[in-house]
Amino acid sequence: MKLNVALKGVIAVICGLSLLSCNKSNNYKNTSRATGWDINSDEGGFQYNTNYKEQEAAPGLVFVEGGTYTMGRVQDDPMHDWNNTPTQQHVQSFYMDETEVTNKMYLEYLDWLKRVFPPSEENYKNIYNGALPDTLVWRNRLGYNETMVTNYLRHPAYAEYPVVGVSWIQAVEFSKWRTDRVNEYRLEEEGFTKEGARYTDVNASSTFNTDTYINTPSKAYGGNTDVSQGGDKAQDRLSETNDAGEPIRKVFPGRESGLIYPEYRLPTEAEWEYAALGLVGIRNYNIYRGRKKYPWDGQYTRNGDVKKMGDQLANFKQGDGDYGGIAGWSDDGADITAEVKSYEPNDFGLYDMAGNVSEWVADVYRPIVDDEFNDFNYYRGNVYTKHAINEDGSVKVVGTDDVVYDTLSNGKLVARNLPGEIAQVPVTADDTYMRTNFTESDQRDFRDGDKSSSRYYQPFQEVDEDPSKRMYNSPTYDNFTFADSTSEGGITERGYDKEKRTSLISDEVRVYKGGSWRDRAYWLDPAQRRYFPQDMATDYIGFRNAMSRVGSKSLNKNKTARNN
């Protein structure tokens, strides 16, 4: 009996030591699983953020856990659009603005452009002017709306109202600017860039761009080219110096630091619709299969709760000449747009995913969502580019004289890159050689608009390049002639497309989603989709930003709760 007890004790000790040994050998937090070398050693070597937990929500964003849903029309189709046939889609987790981008947010963007690229200087005037919203969208031939023309964008009474009069192109440029400003501030807070540099060191020839900082940090201001430029946290990380006391390893946090956020961008159509439905709070088989009509529960636009019985759940047009209801308790509280957060959020915590303003999404419009080719993170609109490289192998950074302007169909100029950014060029045939996942830079027409999808396609013959034989015979504006972007004359000739066209669909037409203050309840259904030229603006289309999530699908707190 005593011998058995002793043997059990020995076995237990051996097992315990073995377990400790196994645990120790499997702990590769600061040791390489590949080589056994130390990671983040003071002596040098591989430096990596081994304490990274998970992505934090960037300013203005809330977490949207991804999943599967039925994208497209699930209700009756009285309009007979046939452009949103139901398809099953899966969306990865991402982050999204809890509200639309507001006038105050957009004014901050305009203020920054005005300070850094003064419109009084001839070389920069079109940068600021190209970003200005079109306030004339409020005018109506038989209506008096001059108050909104002169006040809606800038008056503090409308500060927290969604910005309108912004084209899709302008929304994309705002998103790029926002990415840089958020990362710029975060790196300063962590001590990697000079304190206050975003105010004191910024000018037209010295700005901060996220990609530039990652690829060639010395060309972005506050790039820690010496110890004195960094904050205390940065100096603590400089562990090696040469005989002159200069740092050998400079501190330039890249993607591996975990500090730099992914880019702010427009959500894809699939993401926007998924987020608007807000299925996360409902466990009902029919709703999961695509029977949910609005961002809220139920089939009606009025609140069914006892305390708020009859209150409208969104800001929309209720009928002819009825933009808000009879004044009083039954009114929806708005005749045009409403202040953000005027209505309850959906189950993801997102406000105004129905009503108030419609919203731009990233996708190029096509009548059919091609789920036969892809049903994961669906998006039509990819144009793949790469960094332009100088002869010495360094990336080409846009200078003050290298700004490229897009001439819109109405003659307005919009800057598509700014000084400090890395110049982009299309990928080439050399880049796509022997690839199976993509074959060229511009993928907007893939399987719907390209030659092989046209009825004129002949696989063994050269396809006629006659524009009239394109799949989508949309107007062309090649006959527009414009002066140089810096000239006083502006447009030198204005022409019009004189061909007989059969469609407005082109690669420059984008999807917008959600009903607005001008729309009937039919358009509040997140499945409904419409399109509009990307270089035009209205008084009922705004936008909000999204950001991809890196790492796990769920937040750590959600994973912990699920495991328990």
Side-chain angles (χ1 to χ4, degrees):
M1 178 69 70
K2 292 181 178 179
L3 179 61
N4 289 339
V5 171
L7 285 173
K8 289 181 179 178
V10 172
I11 291 171
V13 171
I14 292 173
C15 290
L17 291 173
S18 176
L19 183 62
L20 289 172
S21 176
C22 290
N23 287 339
K24 182 178 181 181
S25 64
N26 288 333
N27 181 8
Y28 289 103
K29 181 177 180 181
N30 288 303
T31 305
S32 169
R33 193 184 300 271
T35 63
W37 290 22
D38 289 340
I39 296 175
N40 300 324
S41 171
D42 289 339
E43 285 75 26
F46 182 45
Q47 302 292 306
Y48 199 79
N49 182 2
T50 58
N51 294 317
Y52 184 80
K53 300 299 182 183
E54 68 174 345
Q55 182 178 347
E56 300 175 4
L61 305 180
V62 296
F63 177 67
V64 177
E65 183 172 346
T68 185
Y69 78 111
T70 302
M71 179 180 178
R73 187 189 67 255
V74 295
Q75 306 292 330
D76 294 334
D77 186 24
M79 302 291 288
H80 299 290
D81 289 334
W82 296 107
N83 71 344
N84 54 355
T85 303
T87 66
Q88 195 74 11
Q89 296 286 338
H90 190 97
V91 174
Q92 275 189 298
S93 298
F94 63 102
Y95 295 85
M96 197 176 211
D97 269 330
E98 62 174 348
T99 71
E100 305 97 332
V101 171
T102 64
N103 285 319
K104 186 167 68 174
M105 293 167 68
Y106 202 86
L107 284 173
E108 184 181 4
Y109 167 51
L110 294 177
D111 176 74
W112 187 90
L113 289 178
K114 195 171 186 177
R115 287 188 291 107
V116 178
F117 306 104
S120 58
E121 297 186 25
E122 190 66 26
N123 203 32
Y124 305 133
K125 68 175 184 179
N126 288 309
I127 293 178
Y128 176 76
N129 293 337
L132 287 172
D134 182 4
T135 59
L136 298 183
V137 294
W138 287 106
R139 283 184 173 167
N140 188 299
R141 294 179 183 86
L142 295 177
Y144 181 76
N145 298 325
E146 293 303 300
T147 300
M148 275 81 80
V149 171
T150 56
N151 290 284
Y152 183 81
L153 174 64
R154 299 184 182 278
H155 198 285
Y158 295 111
E160 298 300 333
Y161 283 57
V163 67
V164 296
V166 175
S167 69
W168 182 92
I169 291 176
Q170 290 173 315
V172 169
E173 295 307 308
F174 171 89
S175 306
K176 291 162 57 179
W177 168 85
R178 187 178 180 186
T179 301
D180 292 337
R181 302 292 76 75
V182 169
N183 282 323
E184 176 182 28
Y185 181 64
R186 193 175 198 196
L187 290 175
E188 181 184 319
E189 285 288 288
E190 292 295 324
F192 285 105
T193 57
K194 181 180 176 182
E195 185 175 354
R198 67 187 191 277
Y199 297 121
T200 59
D201 291 17
V202 63
N203 55 62
S205 59
S206 178
T207 61
F208 178 90
N209 175 263
T210 302
D211 282 342
T212 303
Y213 187 84
I214 291 172
N215 286 277
T216 176
S218 61
K219 294 185 179 180
Y221 79 82
N224 282 11
T225 53
D226 59 61
V227 176
S228 63
Q229 285 188 327
D232 292 338
K233 294 182 180 178
Q235 294 183 40
D236 290 341
R237 295 181 176 94
L238 294 172
S239 58
E240 296 182 20
T241 58
N242 57 22
D243 294 338
E246 298 171 340
I248 297 174
R249 276 189 301 122
K250 298 180 173 64
V251 179
F252 299 129
R255 298 288 183 190
E256 69 280 357
S257 70
L259 293 174
I260 296 175
Y261 286 112
E263 70 272 16
Y264 283 86
R265 55 178 173 79
L266 292 181
T268 66
E269 181 179 4
E271 287 175 333
W272 193 98
E273 188 172 329
Y274 175 83
L277 283 170
L279 300 177
V280 67
I282 300 172
R283 296 181 179 240
N284 180 294
Y285 179 78
N286 287 330
I287 291 175
Y288 164 73
R289 297 303 300 171
R291 300 298 177 185
K292 192 165 187 270
K293 185 176 179 65
Y294 297 118
W296 52 84
D297 298 344
Q299 299 290 309
Y300 305 101
T301 63
R302 290 188 181 273
N303 202 321
D305 293 342
V306 175
K307 293 183 179 180
K308 299 180 180 180
M309 184 72 72
D311 288 355
Q312 289 289 0
L313 295 170
N315 173 25
F316 65 99
K317 182 178 180 179
Q318 300 175 32
D320 289 343
D322 185 357
Y323 288 83
I326 300 173
W329 70 270
S330 67
D331 187 69
D332 68 7
D335 40 27
I336 53 168
T337 56
E339 186 173 343
V340 297
K341 296 189 177 182
S342 294
Y343 301 89
E344 294 297 317
N346 71 359
D347 288 328
F348 279 126
L350 302 170
Y351 293 85
D352 293 324
M353 296 301 286
N356 214 17
V357 292
S358 300
E359 299 179 18
W360 290 114
V361 296
D363 294 58
V364 168
Y365 175 80
R366 289 294 185 270
I368 297 174
V369 172
D370 188 359
D371 66 320
E372 292 183 1
F373 189 83
N374 182 45
D375 57 4
F376 179 76
N377 284 350
Y378 186 85
Y379 166 63
R380 179 178 291 278
N382 283 311
V383 179
Y384 299 117
T385 61
K386 61 181 180 179
H387 296 331
I389 305 298
N390 295 316
E391 293 183 358
D392 62 358
S394 62
V395 293
K396 181 179 180 180
V397 178
V398 177
T400 55
D401 297 325
D402 301 325
V403 179
V404 176
Y405 295 87
D406 269 3
T407 303
L408 308 185
S409 55
N410 62 3
K412 189 173 184 178
L413 296 172
V414 174
R416 294 305 296 270
N417 59 17
L418 295 176
E421 297 180 5
I422 297 177
Q424 299 293 306
V425 294
V427 297
T428 65
D430 291 337
D431 300 313
T432 62
Y433 178 66
M434 294 296 290
R435 285 193 173 275
T436 58
N437 54 335
F438 71 101
T439 56
E440 55 189 21
S441 174
D442 192 343
Q443 298 290 312
R444 292 175 294 180
D445 279 339
F446 181 67
R447 287 169 59 95
D448 197 336
D450 55 8
K451 294 177 182 179
S452 60
S453 58
S454 169
R455 68 188 181 94
Y456 298 103
Y457 176 63
Q458 299 177 22
F460 303 108
Q461 298 181 24
E462 192 69 26
V463 177
D464 191 346
E465 295 293 341
D466 183 355
S468 65
K469 293 186 177 182
R470 292 176 299 168
M471 182 172 182
Y472 293 105
N473 191 19
S474 56
T476 59
Y477 298 95
D478 294 338
N479 53 353
F480 276 71
T481 303
F482 300 93
D484 180 76
S485 60
T486 60
S487 70
E488 293 291 337
I491 300 173
T492 58
E493 180 182 346
R494 191 186 293 273
Y496 294 92
D497 188 292
K498 298 179 181 179
E499 299 293 330
K500 292 182 179 179
R501 302 296 176 179
T502 58
S503 175
L504 293 176
I505 300 173
S506 73
D507 291 343
E508 284 71 46
V509 169
R510 301 285 172 166
V511 178
Y512 69 95
K513 301 281 284 184
S516 74
W517 65 277
R518 280 193 176 275
D519 293 314
R520 299 291 189 95
Y522 171 80
W523 297 106
L524 302 185
D525 181 351
Q528 302 304 334
R529 57 200 302 257
R530 291 172 282 181
Y531 58 94
F532 205 69
Q534 66 182 21
D535 59 359
M536 295 178 64
T538 74
D539 62 354
Y540 58 85
I541 300 180
F543 70 102
R544 73 179 73 207
N545 284 145
M547 178 183 288
S548 298
R549 175 172 170 83
V550 295
S552 63
K553 174 182 179 180
S554 304
L555 297 177
N556 281 336
K557 60 181 180 181
N558 293 345
K559 290 188 291 185
T560 302
R562 187 177 294 115
N563 293 335
N564 292 336

